[in-house]
Amino acid sequence: MHIDILTLFPEMFHGVFQSSILNKAVERQQFTYELVNFREYSKNKHQKVDDYPYGGGAGMVLTPQPIFDAVEAVKSKRNSNPRVILMCPQGETLTQQKSEELAKEDHLIFICGHYEGYDERIREHIVTDEISIGDYVLTGGELGSMVVVDSVVRLLPDVLGNQQSAPQDSFSTGLLEHPHYTRPADFRGYKVPDVLLSGNHANIASWRRKQSLLRTWNRRKDLLDNMELTDEDKNTLKNDKSDEIL
């Protein structure tokens, strides 16, 4: 297996990959890895990788170009069609079953974000899997990716030494966040929703609420069990959940 990790902070991984079971697995060539700083792929003259969110709001959003280009370069280098994993609080919660599934792959790419979030087009057009390690938020995806890599690599043949070790393993409330978009408005034909460019803050707020409701219904319906939904919220779920889920 080969693992590529796209991150703005590659130095965070040195201690993890140079210690314990992972270090031994690297030394035995049971897996290889590369740390890719996607800032190096930015075409911005200042190597910026983030920008302000369309529609307003707090924080900065990672722009699509550096991450698209980094993923494409990594795929081309290895001539492969890997699973591309986005570390994200909105993803499916990591389970032992998911780790076992990923351990069967030859090549994995992890995307570790920072700031407010990712431009939604990254999620929609290059990602194959979204993974969360729990219902909480970290400063970036690096720590989460370390958890996933560790849980996957230990399942590779002979990494643990004892073949029975892995098979014997045991295994804030609220809505999920709406999609984010940032410049450019049209990237490779993938366009930002018109409502976010309208400047109508009431319509933007309504769209975001609707998307949050639909995303939560689709991905984590259990989070709605203790939510106090307005009549408008209930109407959204009743009328739109089967037609427009992002």
Side-chain angles (χ1 to χ4, degrees):
M1 173 182 284
H2 179 78
I3 296 174
D4 286 293
I5 298 179
L6 276 56
T7 172
L8 295 173
F9 303 96
E11 65 276 7
M12 290 181 65
F13 292 85
H14 296 324
V16 173
F17 285 115
Q18 295 172 11
S19 305
S20 188
I21 297 296
L22 292 184
N23 183 55
K24 291 179 181 178
V26 171
E27 290 178 345
R28 295 170 184 161
Q29 297 184 326
Q30 292 164 321
F31 89 105
T32 57
Y33 72 92
E34 185 172 353
L35 303 174
V36 180
N37 189 336
F38 60 85
R39 187 182 299 280
E40 296 174 0
Y41 289 86
S42 174
K43 295 178 180 178
N44 179 277
K45 65 179 180 180
H46 302 297
Q47 286 197 306
K48 280 187 61 178
V49 295
D50 62 336
D51 210 328
Y52 294 101
Y54 277 121
M60 303 289 279
V61 176
L62 287 171
T63 57
Q65 179 270 312
I67 294 179
F68 266 73
D69 286 4
V71 168
E72 289 166 355
V74 165
K75 286 183 176 181
S76 176
K77 180 178 180 180
R78 302 198 65 84
N79 191 27
S80 67
N81 186 29
R83 299 276 282 271
V84 181
I85 300 165
L86 186 73
M87 299 307 304
C88 173
Q90 302 175 29
E92 64 174 297
T93 302
L94 179 67
T95 63
Q96 186 68 12
Q97 291 71 31
K98 186 68 174 182
S99 296
E100 291 170 355
E101 175 189 327
L102 294 175
K104 298 175 183 177
E105 299 291 330
D106 294 325
H107 186 193
L108 300 175
I109 298 176
F110 288 84
I111 302 175
C112 305
H114 252 69
Y115 314 118
E116 175 64 19
Y118 308 90
D119 187 290
E120 187 70 9
R121 289 164 288 191
I122 296 169
R123 188 194 313 271
E124 291 176 337
H125 300 290
I126 60 175
V127 168
T128 62
D129 301 80
E130 296 177 49
I131 295 180
S132 165
I133 61 170
D135 292 340
Y136 49 89
V137 178
L138 301 172
T139 54
E142 285 78 11
L143 293 175
S145 70
M146 294 175 196
V147 171
V148 181
V149 169
D150 186 278
S151 71
V152 170
V153 168
R154 65 190 301 279
L155 297 173
L156 299 179
D158 301 321
V159 166
L160 293 182
N162 186 334
Q163 293 298 310
Q164 295 304 310
S165 295
Q168 292 176 356
D169 284 342
S170 58
F171 143 27
S172 120
T173 62
L175 298 175
L176 298 180
E177 200 170 27
H178 56 77
H180 290 285
Y181 295 88
T182 186
R183 287 186 282 265
D186 186 339
F187 179 73
R188 299 186 179 183
Y190 310 135
K191 297 182 179 180
V192 171
D194 290 339
V195 64
L196 296 179
L197 308 178
S198 68
N200 188 315
H201 297 293
N203 287 349
I204 290 171
S206 176
W207 180 88
R208 287 177 169 172
R209 176 70 176 182
K210 179 179 178 180
Q211 296 305 312
S212 291
L213 283 164
L214 295 176
R215 179 163 286 184
T216 303
W217 176 273
N218 186 40
R219 303 182 182 201
R220 289 294 307 277
K221 194 182 298 184
D222 60 290
L223 294 178
L224 295 172
D225 292 342
N226 298 316
M227 288 285 297
E228 291 186 13
L229 301 177
T230 66
D231 289 341
E232 185 176 353
D233 291 339
K234 294 174 183 177
N235 223 27
T236 294
L237 293 174
K238 179 181 178 181
N239 296 327
D240 298 328
K241 65 176 180 289
S242 61
D243 299 325
E244 186 184 351
I245 296 176
L246 296 182

